[in-house]
Amino acid sequence: MAAHLKKRVYEEFTKVVQQQQEEIATKKLRLTKPSKSAALHIDLCKATSPADALQYLLQFARKPVEAESVEGVVRILLEHYYKENDPSVRLKIASLLGLLSKTAGFSPDCIMDDAINILQNEKSHQVLAQLLDTLLAIGTKLPENQAIQIRLVDVACKHLTDTSHGVRNKCLQLLGNLGSLEKSVTKDGEGLAVRDVQKIIGDYFSDQDPRVRTAAIKAMLQLHERGLKLHQAIYNQACKLLSDDYEQVRSAAVQLIWVVSQLYPESIVPIPSSNEEIRLVDDAFGKICHMVSDGSWVVRVQAAKLLGSMEQVSSHFLEQTLDKKLMSDLRRKRTAHERAKELYSSGEFSSGRKWGDDAPKEEIDTGAVNLIESGACGAFVHGLEDEMYEVRIAAVEALCMLAQSSPSFAEKCLDFLVDMFNDEIEEVRLQSIHTMRKISNNITLREDQLDTVLAVLEDSSRDIREALHELLCCTNVSTKEGIHLALVELLKNLTKYPTDRDSIWKCLKFLGSRHPTLVLPLVPELLSTHPFFDTAEPDMDDPAYIAVLVLIFNAAKTCPTMPALFSDHTFRHYAYLRDSLSHLVPALRLPGRKLVSSAVSPSIAPHEDPSHQFLQQSLERVYSLQHLDPQGTQELLEFTIRDLQRLGELQSELAGVADFSATYLRCQLLLIKALQEKLWNVAAPLYLKQSDLASAAAKQIMEETYKMEFMYSGVENKQVVIIHHMRLQAKALQLIVTARTTRGVDPLFGMCEKFLQEVDFFQRCFIADLPHLQDSFVDKLLDLMPRLMTSKPVEVVKILQTMLRQSTFLHLPLPEQIHKASATIIEPAGESDNPLRFTSGLVVALDVDATLEHVQDPQSTVKVQVLYPDGQAQMIHPKPADFRNPGPGRHRLITQVYLSHTAWTEPCQVEVRLLLAYNSNSRIPKSPWIEGGEVSPQVETSIEGTIPFSKSVKVYIMPKPARR
Amino acid sequence: MPEIRVTPLGAGQDVGRSCILVSIAGKNVMLDCGMHMGFNDDRRFPDFSYITRNGRLTDFLDCVIISHFHLDHCGALPYFSEMVGYDGPIYMTHPTQAICPILLEDYRKIAVDKKGEANFFTSQMIKDCMKKVVAVHLHQTVQVDDELEIKAYYAGHVLGAAMFQIKVGSESVVYTGDYNMTPDRHLGAAWIDKCRPNLLITESTYATTIRDSKRCRERDFLKKVHEAVERGGKVLIPVFALGRAQELCILLETFWERMNLKAPIYFSTGLTEKANHYYKLFITWTNQKIRKTFVQRNMFEFKHIKAFDRAFADNPGPMVIMPGYCVQGTVGHKILSGQRKLEMEGRQVLEVKMQVEYMSFSAHADAKGIMQLVGQAEPESVLLVHGEAKKMEFLKQKIEQEFRVNCYMPANGETVTLPTSPSIPVGISLGLLKREMAQGLLPDAKKPRLLHGTLIMKDSNFRLVSSEQALKELGLAEHQLRFTCRVHLHDPRKEQETAMRVYSHLKSVLKDHCVQHLPDGSVTVESILIQAAAHSEDPGTKVLLVSWTYQDEELGSYLTSLLKKGLPQASS
């Protein structure tokens, strides 16, 4: 029923909104600023019943209010508030007051008195809570005003004794957000009673309502966030809350304990029931560890996460987290990990064939066994075995962070991480492999551990295997058997999954260059050379053989004795691979050919500086030569664009900057070309069709500007201004061209109006940057704005035309870090001759695998487009879960695209490509007034579109007619 | 004195034949009704004659609760309900209800068909017995009758295993059945809220063991199987309990999937196959992974695992076979116990060339897990069952030490009596409460407050009302009860002056009470009257008459003691 009602309410809203919009549109031509307050007043007076009034208020809340009229609106609302008997209407008014006070440019101190006033007479708890919320909004708006803060805090303290939990909640929130910081204590002399906010909030830790307790802890955390130093006394209070009945209280308490432990890590606390004392951070660590076995998984996740950031904890506490004293019939038993270690150190390889391997040894004293350790014992053992994978992931992350800061802990946690490679959830496995990679600098894998790690190479998930390859890239192996084992397993992997070829080669490259001395004794075996006999020459195209060679050649780089072991054909193969796979095979100092290779390596480093200089210089040249004759300018631009493009291809690190600048120059070039068209000199009616070039140029500039704005990561505001400026010029050009080619004035009216609105919008958005745009198109345009507003379209066009010609070329400042978004589709490869057959009318799933570089927020921007031969285009939004993030700035899209079509007579190719969606609104900050996806007022100016940013791939498909 | 009585008929300091009688607030509940694996005579079933010798069981028991479908928890059920005779409700969870008859039928077959026992329950009896079952959902509060209610919590262990909370009024008992605190591949971990029962009856199979992490176990197992299969060998995995077979199936299946292995896996037909059908259905009872992924694929729809047929035995190539449990005396059992030579029928001697590995995949909570559960539920006392006496002793000591609660471990037939102090709810009239609120400060949880009122007990219903209302309700006239007390005071002055001195003294001492001096020479403090009169014999002594009503007893006695100390001399 409730859902039905809600739906009805929404239905009515949508209707109302549409009407309102029309109204605004019509009004806008006549009135510049309709008085909101007057309309509201009339509405509210008209309202006969509370339900009506509520409706009006709800409608009112959908529209923004300008800063100037807020005050008036507030007065009317307050006036109505006093008269209103219905609490729901009062509630809405109270919430509106809060919203209004958030309006930018409005100072809410004038409504505070009224708000406090009505608070005193209010009886309804809900309205009280809402009013306190409003006060909170006011208070946060005026953070500097001490007097107001103190007054609000007083109000909050007074209402803390309210019987409703909602009111107490809000009071605590208010205290947390506005409670005086310690600075204000100095004001004591003025007679302002500064209360001890922490004490007040602390008293509510034992409130009867769990929601209030939670709010109290949250308020305390809020105080901490605002920079107030919490008292150490809170620690004991918070510890008591850890055994609260309600999970949200416990969860918040864990956070609070963590905060306090970070504030006073070194202070000493006594251990109850003994005379010992320990550091606070250790105690807190123990307590949070205990929460890892809490009954609620929310608390467990929270606790596990926080453990990771407690780096000051002493090492013996840390190591306890991995220790769960094993016991079998009261005899101490060694863990499987300990056994494995022992076997390893005794030199015996684990066979698992011995009976009674895990037989318990020593008898233990029953009194000494402590089943519930007060401390950290086994926290991670529990966390990693938890039922919920969220907890397990949090535990793995925490392990990672702690291991990064403590090498000895890293060594110890290795066994556990390796165990996590066998988790049932792939995410957890992946996470633990990544974690292992991060801490791999600190560790050396034992052979038995390596064995377990390598077993995962057979995993059928490509993500897992690739993550593991990356892990192996930076692993330290201790023995030559280890290297051999790794190689064998990688080759096995290669035969099982041939698609992993590149990844495996890369992995072996690093493995070789890290362990040259371990590879050396293996070389004869690996190359199967024989001291007396010549062996058959291996097949050069065999990926496995190439893999072995990659390992050996990379090891040989730092091991000069190794080439002596090579046979003749190995040298030939080296030469071949050095050419064909130069990124995998390093330059070697081989006996016969010394100097060729050595020349290459030193030349890399100093190379980038001159190219950057070159880039700078060529851009300088363009910007300085503004008043050259048109022909010269065009040529210079053309050459510079060409240079930049070539530079981008050669120097990958400069590709972003070069492309970005080249695009900008191209826009400029197009603009210049368009303005030099002959058509401007011809009388208007004569060239109806010939203006194609100019309008095409305008369109292309627009497209390029969108590309500049949205396809590059690292674009700063100063570039955005220039880009928008360029777009504005393109729009002006478009207007002029249309004005010249169309007859009649009517359509021009609308276009002019729209253009002027856009200029206005530009001014509003970039008001801060306008001083940088001296002498530019928009600068001049704004000077003439009053005149343009009043003049007729024909005149406007004339003015624009002259201005466009006079405007100077703006200098585009180069951003620090700029990268062009790019995508490569790995799969489908587009080489298959076998069409994908499916029954028409049904769907076929096409696996798409692509790597994305420098795409911000790919989850919402990247789309897949499928173009059918009949021109039909289909756009697919991949699920957010389809994006993986293997490294900074890199993303991987692995998704399935569903294709369907009516029957064809023969197979044909469809094109698949990736698009980058953009929305011109996304860069503009939203006003607080518009909340929850309501219709934004800038809707008219927002432009959505897509930019293709990958090469398209052809897929051969064949929808067959359905068989009857 | 109200009390809870617990008598284990089975599973007291023992494993098997679980059957525990609980009397709580006049209600009798039987928890589990299992058989004992170790016996083939009358001892295999609990001794139901303990409950009643000649009366009907139905009259003595309010309900029977079965925690899960293992035979040592439900094996005696048809015997109990059909042969001994019980018609009351039997509660169990849905999966237990579904799988239990399969196991009972299997048990019956082995007992009757294989061992040839007579006087055993029949298939029909199993069916009739199952008709008496009432299925419950997790966390569903079931009202057995007006007062008795039960509630099931998730227990892990096997599919459908549950812990039960039995509650009458404010007294409650939690029975855990068998449970597992560490999640495995197909089941989650046991969980209970902080229900603070009077008594927690917990299993204690692994009372003295703390187990290694399950990951090591799983890894070892998979590695060994994988190695054997890679070498081209065959793997035989005897699995004891139903449920564990599924666990290993899931483990192997996911491993096969992950590693893209092709070798076939077989399990013995019969029980496992039948039960697996239900495992596919009760997805909500499984763990997070299976619940989340069953939409794409039900994990129990095995791709690599098939039912075994004897004809496959000689197939070449690697394979993994999971036969059932190896009963004592079988070839399997001999091999497991380590014999290297087997004497077959016809004097043939076979040498055992296979490797034998032993691994524990038990789904019981270890000592740490038991402690964790006790910590979660926060009971007032703990009772241990389903374990060995010696091990229980150790755990008992630990529980008493850590939680400072009483811990019991009765043997079979031994009764434990627990006195309880149930809280009795009393209704208070709003008027009275509001009046009290108006008088004083807000209620403070830390300080007790005195409140005057009348307690009315009417057919086991308690109410606290103001005395006026009580009088009205009961139709009684109000009687005034007044205390008077004479205090002798040595004071030579006149009566009025004495009264005046008393007045000023009281005024200075009792600052927050209303002290008045009336024109007739008497002094009032609130409603207490004080009059001064000269002593008839000794004019130097004044007699102060203090009179107060029953309601002002506190103030009145305080006043007399104050006046008895005498008046301060320095004044006036």
Side-chain angles (χ1 to χ4, degrees), chain A residues 243 245 295 326-327 329 336 352 366 369-370 384-385 389-390 419 422-423 458-460 496-497, chain B residues 183 185 188 191 194 196 208-215 219 258-260 288 357 391 398 402-403:
Chain A
S243 51
D245 283 8
L326 292 190
M327 201 168 61
D329 289 347
T366 48
V369 185
N370 191 359
L384 294 176
E385 271 183 32
Y389 80 89
E390 291 91 340
D419 278 347
N422 286 324
D423 195 272
E458 291 189 40
D459 202 295
S460 58
K496 207 163 173 186
Y497 306 102
Chain B
R185 288 281 169 152
W191 180 86
K194 231 175 238 186
R196 299 193 175 91
T208 54
T209 304
I210 298 177
R211 278 183 301 168
D212 205 346
S213 91
K214 64 159 185 170
R215 296 192 185 280
R219 198 189 59 206
R258 264 182 60 199
M259 298 302 174
N260 249 336
Q288 193 191 18
E357 307 272 353
K391 297 180 179 177
K398 284 291 150 201
E402 297 278 351
F403 297 104

Side-chain angles (χ1 to χ4, degrees), chain A residues 258-273:
Chain A
W258 178 79
V259 164
V260 178
S261 77
Q262 300 297 305
L263 283 175
Y264 305 95
E266 298 302 329
S267 48
I268 301 294
V269 289
I271 303 175
S273 77

Side-chain angles (χ1 to χ4, degrees), chain A residues 494-642:
Chain A
L494 190 62
T495 44
K496 207 163 173 186
Y497 306 102
T499 47
D500 287 0
R501 201 179 64 180
D502 291 327
S503 174
I504 289 174
W505 286 348
K506 199 179 116 209
C507 169
L508 282 169
K509 173 188 167 190
F510 284 100
L511 213 56
S513 55
R514 271 175 162 261
H515 308 97
T517 46
L518 297 180
V519 175
L520 184 62
L522 291 171
V523 170
E525 191 190 340
L526 293 179
L527 292 176
S528 52
T529 48
H530 195 276
F532 308 125
F533 303 112
D534 270 347
T535 45
E537 186 177 331
D539 179 12
M540 197 52 241
D541 292 329
D542 181 13
Y545 179 61
I546 295 178
V548 174
L549 285 185
V550 167
L551 176 78
I552 292 174
F553 289 149
N554 278 289
K557 196 178 161 194
T558 45
C559 184
T561 52
M562 205 179 284
L565 299 167
F566 295 172
S567 53
D568 289 345
H569 55 79
T570 317
F571 288 112
R572 267 186 282 121
H573 294 167
Y574 165 74
Y576 170 66
L577 287 180
R578 174 75 193 126
D579 275 349
S580 58
L581 298 170
S582 54
H583 61 289
L584 292 173
V585 179
L588 287 184
R589 235 174 243 276
L590 295 181
R593 49 193 97 179
K594 261 178 222 163
L595 290 167
V596 190
S597 51
S598 58
V600 183
S601 51
S603 63
I604 297 163
H607 196 72
E608 64 180 47
D609 223 4
S611 60
H612 199 255
Q613 264 176 15
F614 171 74
L615 177 84
Q616 288 287 5
Q617 280 166 0
S618 48
L619 286 176
E620 289 298 322
R621 205 164 49 218
V622 176
Y623 293 133
S624 57
L625 294 177
Q626 287 179 4
H627 300 294
L628 208 74
D629 64 305
Q631 196 59 40
T633 314
Q634 274 188 33
E635 266 169 26
L636 181 64
L637 279 171
E638 266 162 24
F639 287 133
T640 316
I641 291 168
R642 200 197 59 201

